[in-house]
């Protein structure tokens, strides 16, 4: 399979410098204003669940559990830690499960909610909803959504079951052949689905630990019904699925507490990370493909690892097990944003750092 590589805009960090570099970075907190119903000493952002950087890295979307009954997406300016400089997107009537930015347009993002059964397209510049798709008509409770690399399509997976939905990213209309019903019940429920950087292959993770690769037609949004390849990658459910931006690796996280790295040309596992005893819940690969951040259930720290060597280079401490942290690297810098601690959103690496 052929993959496109990311054009690097900042120099890569050498492995022998990584531990010192990350240890000396400050961690900045981004807190919301306390509301009248928030107990003294607590942060109204303590239930932050998921985050996402936009393509330029000048905005970061953060999704909280309901604050005073309101389901919101907060858009932060990473240069300003005060919530007065953030904006809110309101419209969902149930818990928001996922948010993702258009990789080709830094003001457009998408969100989904299994609770209210909608996929919503937003304009962050205008702070309003552009389109709404109600997924009940196709029998999906949406919990995961991603743009394709060209920004043309959305791939949506549900809370349970074996269906995938492909939507036109501009209109939220179902693609001509944009609903895939998996014909392999032995693989279990679909848990993750991401199109590769080349745009012509779709990777699907399942609750049994299987990963399948399907053809994807970038002109029509059609998913090949039969898999090109089927990999028995893990013993239990696939919880994370990410591709190296430089086109070398596919990274998988699982409930079996392992992260595996797969060579995308040979389709063989070349490395595993198994330091944890808990289920892996989130992974993110840096802009240059050199480093990966891993978070798990419980109070274990976030680990930053060097992908090529398998070396653990730095541990980001966590203060609580209140939430499993979501995390994501900045698209062009070594800034690691994460959520889950009572302080809400945090970024390792100060916004005024120019190195």
């Amino acid at each position: 399979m052929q993959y496109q590589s990311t054009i690097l805009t900042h120099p890569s960090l050498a492995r022998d410098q990584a531990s010192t570099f990350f240890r000396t970075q400050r961690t900045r907190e981004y807190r919301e204003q306390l509301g009248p119903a928030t107990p003294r000493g607590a942060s109204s952002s303590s239930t932050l669940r998921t985050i996402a950087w936009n393509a330029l890295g000048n905005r970061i979307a953060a999704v909280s559990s309901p604050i005073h009954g309101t389901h919101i997406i907060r858009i932060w300016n990473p240069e300003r830690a005060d919530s007065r400089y953030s904006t809110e997107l309101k419209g969902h009537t149930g818990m928001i499960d996922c948010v993702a930015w258009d990789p080709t347009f830094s003001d457009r993002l998408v969100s989904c909610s299994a609770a209210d059964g909608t996929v919503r397209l937003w304009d962050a510049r205008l702070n309003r909803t552009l389109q709404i798709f109600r997924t009940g008509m196709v029998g999906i409770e949406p919990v995961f959504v991603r743009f394709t690399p060209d920004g043309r399509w959305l791939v949506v997976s549900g809370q349970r079951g074996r269906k995938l939905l492909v939507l036109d990213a501009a209109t939220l209309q179902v693609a001509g052949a944009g609903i895939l019903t998996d014909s392999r019940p032995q693989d279990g429920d679909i848990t993750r689905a991401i199109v590769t950087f080349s745009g012509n292959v779709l990777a699907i993770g399942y609750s049994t630990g299987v990963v399948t690769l399907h053809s994807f037609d970038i002109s029509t949004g059609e998913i090949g019904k039969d898999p090109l390849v089927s990999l028995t990658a893990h013993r239990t459910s696939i919880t994370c699925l990410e591709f190296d931006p430089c086109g070398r690796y596919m990274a998988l996280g699982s409930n079996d507490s392992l992260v595996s790295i797969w060579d995308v040309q040979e389709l063989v596992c070349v490395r595993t990370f198994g330091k944890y005893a808990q289920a892996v819940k989130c992974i993110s690969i840096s802009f240059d493909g050199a480093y990966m951040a891993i978070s798990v259930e419980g109070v274990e720290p976030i680990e930053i690892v060097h992908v090529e060597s398998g070396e653990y280079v730095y541990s980001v401490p966590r203060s609580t097990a209140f939430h499993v942290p979501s995390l994501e690297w900045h698209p062009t810098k070594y800034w690691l944003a994460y959520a889950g601690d009572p302080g809400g959103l945090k970024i390792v690496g100060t916004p005024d750092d120019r190195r």
Side-chain angles (χ1 to χ4, degrees):
M1 294 182 295
Q2 296 299 312
Y3 294 81
Q4 297 174 345
S5 295
T6 298
I7 298 175
L8 303 183
T9 56
H10 288 72
S12 293
L13 177 66
R15 180 187 64 180
D16 59 358
Q17 299 174 349
S19 294
T20 300
F21 177 87
F22 291 117
R23 185 174 64 251
T24 56
Q25 299 307 293
R26 291 195 309 156
T27 298
R28 176 172 287 196
E29 295 186 3
Y30 297 74
R31 292 176 176 266
E32 297 184 21
Q33 296 294 323
L34 298 178
T38 305
R40 182 177 297 275
S43 168
S44 61
S45 58
S46 62
T47 53
L48 202 60
R49 303 176 66 242
T50 186
I51 55 177
W53 290 97
N54 73 347
L56 295 180
N58 61 357
R59 289 177 179 168
I60 185 166
V63 174
S64 298
S65 297
I67 298 176
H68 312 313
T70 302
H71 303 270
I72 67 168
I73 302 169
R74 185 171 297 279
I75 310 298
W76 291 93
N77 175 354
E79 304 284 346
R80 303 275 191 161
D82 194 315
S83 64
R84 291 176 298 175
Y85 299 99
S86 69
T87 58
E88 296 179 352
L89 302 179
K90 297 180 180 179
H92 278 291
T93 59
M95 185 80 73
I96 304 167
D97 292 288
C98 189
V99 62
W101 291 88
D102 184 340
T104 65
F105 183 36
S106 60
D107 293 314
R108 188 167 68 159
L109 67 160
V110 66
S111 61
C112 68
S113 166
D116 68 17
T118 65
V119 176
R120 289 175 178 262
L121 191 68
W122 306 85
D123 188 318
R125 180 180 47 191
L126 301 177
N127 295 339
R128 68 179 181 88
T129 301
L130 298 175
Q131 302 286 347
I132 301 174
F133 181 83
R134 303 192 183 281
T135 59
M137 65 183 73
V138 295
I140 290 180
E141 298 174 305
V143 296
F144 189 77
V145 60
R146 283 291 185 273
F147 282 89
T148 54
D150 61 2
R152 183 172 179 179
W153 307 102
L154 295 169
V155 179
V156 184
S157 59
Q159 189 162 242
R160 59 185 66 86
R162 302 195 309 276
K163 282 187 178 181
L164 276 183
L165 175 65
V166 179
L167 300 175
D168 184 299
T171 64
L172 294 196
Q173 298 298 308
V174 179
I179 300 178
L180 171 70
T181 301
D182 198 301
S183 59
R184 295 161 52 95
Q186 68 271 23
D187 292 341
D189 293 339
I190 292 173
T191 58
R192 288 291 184 271
I194 295 179
V195 173
T196 61
F197 284 96
S198 65
N200 60 5
V201 176
L202 174 74
I204 304 174
Y206 291 87
S207 59
T208 57
V210 168
V211 173
T212 59
L213 302 179
H214 297 250
S215 63
F216 185 81
D217 191 323
I218 58 177
S219 62
T220 65
E222 181 177 1
I223 304 169
K225 182 177 180 181
D226 297 319
L228 303 170
V229 179
S230 180
L231 305 171
T232 302
H234 286 263
R235 293 172 296 172
T236 57
S237 182
I238 300 297
T239 56
C240 318
L241 196 167
E242 298 290 341
F243 284 94
D244 159 26
C246 297
R248 296 168 298 183
Y249 302 118
M250 174 175 67
L252 305 173
S254 172
N255 278 340
D256 63 10
S257 78
L258 294 175
V259 175
S260 60
I261 305 294
W262 295 73
D263 183 294
V264 298
Q265 300 297 331
E266 302 296 330
L267 293 177
V268 294
C269 181
V270 296
R271 193 163 298 105
T272 60
F273 297 91
K275 183 176 182 178
Y276 294 121
Q278 295 84 8
V280 178
K281 290 304 180 185
C282 195
I283 59 177
S284 180
I285 303 175
S286 61
F287 67 94
D288 56 356
Y291 298 93
M292 179 169 59
I294 307 170
S295 69
V296 300
E297 293 180 338
V299 295
E300 298 296 327
I302 295 168
E303 295 290 350
I304 298 177
V305 300
H306 185 253
V307 175
E308 191 67 31
S309 68
E311 180 182 348
Y312 289 78
V313 298
Y314 185 66
S315 297
V316 181
R318 295 182 57 213
S319 62
T320 180
F322 189 75
H323 269 286
V324 175
S326 172
L327 52 83
E328 186 167 307
W329 288 102
H330 186 281
T332 63
K333 301 177 183 180
Y334 291 118
W335 296 354
L336 179 64
Y338 70 96
D341 282 349
L345 174 65
K346 297 182 179 180
I347 299 178
V348 179
T350 58
D352 59 353
D353 176 36
R354 303 303 180 192
R355 287 175 289 179

